[in-house]
Amino acid sequence: MSFIASRLSAIAPAETMEMAARAAALRRQGLNVISLSQGEPDFDTPEHIQQAAVRAMHDGRTRYTEAAGVLPLREAVAARMLADHGLHYSPDDVSITAGAKQAIFNAFFATLNPDDEVVVPAPCWVSYPEIVKLTGGSPVVVECRREAGFKLTPAQLESSITPRTRWLMLNSPSNPTGAVYSRAELAALGEVLRRHPQVWVLTDDIYGKLVYGSESFANILEVLPELQPRTLVINGVSKVYCMTGWRIGYAVGPRELVKAMTLVQGQSTNNANAIAQFAAVEALTGDQSCVETFRAAFRERRDFIVGALRKVPGLEVDVPEGAFYVYVSCRALMGRRTPSGLMLATDRDFVRYLLDEAQVAVVSGTGFLHSPYFRVSYAAGLDQLGEAARRIAGAVESLS
Ligand code: PLP
C-alpha cells in the first residue's frame, strides 16, 4: 500500500509548472530558452508597494495576524469592491489568503461534500478541476467551443446542472483564452441560475483590470445583484500589481461562507504573510497609475504577438480581449512530422517539439482541457516575443 493518501491519486501537477521546470532544466544545460509558459508579469512590483512592505517591517508588522487578514486590508478590499463594481461589502465579508489560489481552495474545502459537483467551463485554468478533486468534489468540465468565443452558453449551463451541482466557476477574462464575458452574456447565464437556486457562483476576477477590447470587464453581480447571497468573488494582487511572489489573494462573499473559509485557513496556514498584507493595502489604496501603465504594455504585446503568430501558416489565432495569454490552435499541424521523424499526434507533442528544437516554452492545450491548442503567455518583453515568434515560425516550417 502506498504511503501517499489515495485522494492524491487523481491529482495532476500543474502543466504550467512542469513546462517551467523543463525549461529551467534546459537552461541549466546552457541553452537559451525563452519561457512563455508562466502566468506572471515580467515587471517588478511598483516601488511605492515595495516601500510599504519596508515600512511594515520597520513598524513591527511581523507577527501573526487575524486568520481573516488585517483589518486595513479587508477595508481596502471592501472599498475596491464599491469603487470598482458598486458592490457593498463589510470587511467582515472579506477573507485574505495566500494568493487567489488558496481562496479557491478554502472555498471548496469549506463547502464541498463527497461527489458534490462544480461546473467548470473549459478551456480553464489548470488548477480549477484539480482543486475541486483535492477538496473531495467532482469537476464537471464543459467544453466551450471556439465559435462561441470559448465561453459557456446558457444551454450548456442548463444541461450541466444536476441536483448535485454546488458551484459554477466563472473566470473572465479567462486564463488561458483571454475571453471576456459581456454583460449580455452574463445576464443570459443568470437566467439559468435563477432557475437553480442551489447553485452558487465562484467568479475569479483576477485579470479583471487587464481588458483591452471595447467591452469593459463586468463582475456578474453588477449585472445580477440578486445573486450576491450566493456568489463568492475571488481576486488578488498577483497579476495586476505584479506581485505573484507576495502571495496575497482574497475572497469576498456571504459572511457565513467567509467565516467557514477563515476556519479552514485558521487551522492550515493561519494567515497570509503579514508584511505582504500591508504591501497589498498600498497596492489597492495607493496610486493606481501603474495599473494603466501595465495594461497599456500588455495591450501592445498582445497586438504584437497576435500579429506575429498569425503570419505562421498552420496556426490559428483569435484576438484575446483580456488577461495576458493567447490560445493558439495547432490543429493543422497534427499528423505532421518533425525533422527527427516524430509524428505530432497531440498538442503536447507539439509543445515538447517547440521546447526541444526551438527552445521556446509554452503550455499545451491538454493542460487547459481543450486541444489541440497551446497557450502563449505574452507577459514578456517585445524583443523576447519577437524572437519566440521567429523560432516558432522556423520550427513549424521545418515540419513535413
Ligand atoms: N486564477 C487564475 C485564473 C489564474 O490564472 C491564477 C494564476 O495563474 C490564479 C487564480 C492564482 O493567482 P494567485 O497568484 O493569486 O494565487
Side-chain angles (χ1 to χ4, degrees):
M1 209 172 82
S2 166
F3 186 64
I4 304 302
S6 51
R7 77 172 78 87
L8 286 197
S9 60
I11 309 299
E15 183 133 342
T16 42
M17 302 221 173
E18 240 172 50
M19 278 313 283
R22 277 173 81 96
L26 288 180
R27 267 199 204 106
R28 279 195 296 277
Q29 290 171 26
L31 293 171
N32 170 16
V33 178
I34 300 178
S35 183
L36 305 179
S37 61
Q38 282 287 69
E40 67 179 343
D42 55 325
F43 301 114
D44 288 335
T45 303
E47 181 62 25
H48 65 288
I49 300 174
Q50 296 189 31
Q51 286 307 325
V54 173
R55 276 196 307 277
M57 274 188 280
H58 288 160
D59 291 348
R61 311 284 200 186
T62 50
R63 301 186 166 81
Y64 293 132
T65 76
E66 280 178 70
V70 297
L71 184 60
L73 183 52
R74 289 184 288 118
E75 284 172 342
V77 170
R80 277 252 78 88
M81 293 301 287
L82 188 59
D84 293 347
H85 309 296
L87 297 169
H88 289 270
Y89 287 100
S90 130
D92 292 341
D93 306 326
V94 179
S95 172
I96 307 299
T97 53
K101 199 177 218 174
Q102 194 194 18
I104 298 168
F105 183 94
N106 288 353
F108 288 153
F109 196 86
T111 56
L112 294 180
N113 287 311
D115 301 326
D116 280 350
E117 293 172 1
V118 178
V119 176
V120 183
C124 62
W125 181 42
V126 285
S127 293
Y128 294 149
E130 304 311 308
I131 296 176
V132 172
K133 287 189 258 172
L134 206 48
T135 53
S138 298
V140 174
V141 175
V142 183
E143 258 202 65
C144 304
R145 293 173 333 119
R146 183 177 170 208
E147 296 70 38
F150 296 115
K151 290 183 253 188
L152 184 71
T153 64
Q156 284 179 309
L157 175 58
E158 181 73 64
S159 60
S160 60
I161 292 176
T162 75
R164 296 224 64 115
T165 308
R166 300 294 307 278
W167 288 98
L168 163 66
M169 284 286 327
L170 279 181
N171 176 218
S172 169
S174 149
N175 175 5
T177 65
V180 177
Y181 284 81
S182 69
R183 284 162 198 266
E185 286 161 342
L186 292 171
L189 293 177
E191 281 304 314
V192 179
L193 291 168
R194 228 172 246 140
R195 291 195 285 277
H196 300 279
Q198 90 281 10
V199 180
W200 284 49
V201 180
L202 193 153
T203 170
D204 179 348
D205 297 358
I206 194 115
Y207 298 101
K209 287 191 186 287
L210 300 176
V211 173
Y212 319 109
S214 49
E215 181 100 34
S216 64
F217 165 74
N219 175 287
I220 190 167
L221 293 177
E222 291 171 46
V223 184
L224 301 153
E226 69 271 28
L227 291 181
Q228 196 160 345
R230 53 175 166 131
T231 296
L232 187 70
V233 180
I234 303 286
N235 210 325
V237 295
S238 287
K239 313 288 180 173
V240 172
Y241 299 97
C242 305
M243 294 176 70
T244 46
W246 298 72
R247 309 308 300 131
I248 295 293
Y250 52 84
V252 189
R255 201 163 300 174
E256 192 191 349
L257 171 58
V258 166
K259 265 171 107 176
M261 291 171 61
T262 304
L263 180 68
V264 174
Q265 177 140 303
Q267 296 297 10
S268 51
T269 53
N270 200 72
N271 60 265
N273 178 298
I275 299 158
Q277 287 191 57
F278 285 96
V281 172
E282 176 62 23
L284 296 180
T285 62
D287 182 5
Q288 298 295 301
S289 59
C290 58
V291 177
E292 183 47 31
T293 306
F294 295 141
R295 199 187 67 87
F298 287 134
R299 192 199 165 115
E300 185 186 19
R301 293 161 172 202
R302 175 198 71 161
D303 294 344
F304 176 82
I305 193 72
V306 167
L309 292 176
R310 278 190 165 168
K311 291 197 189 111
V312 181
L315 299 183
E316 289 181 69
V317 190
D318 296 321
V319 181
E321 290 176 72
F324 38 65
Y325 309 106
V326 200
Y327 206 52
V328 185
S329 168
C330 53
R331 192 177 300 281
L333 306 181
M334 296 298 97
R336 296 218 200 151
R337 276 186 195 283
T338 68
S340 59
L342 180 85
M343 206 262 280
L344 299 179
T346 66
D347 49 22
R348 266 198 167 139
D349 294 340
F350 180 63
V351 304
R352 283 192 186 140
Y353 166 65
L354 279 186
L355 183 57
D356 293 342
E357 298 302 320
Q359 281 85 56
V360 177
V362 293
V363 184
S364 78
T366 307
F368 305 101
L369 307 182
H370 194 94
S371 293
Y373 282 79
F374 63 96
R375 187 197 76 175
V376 176
S377 165
Y378 55 84
L382 287 176
D383 47 345
Q384 289 241 309
L385 293 175
E387 175 60 17
R390 262 190 300 283
R391 292 188 193 181
I392 292 172
V396 169
E397 207 179 314
S398 305
L399 296 172
S400 53

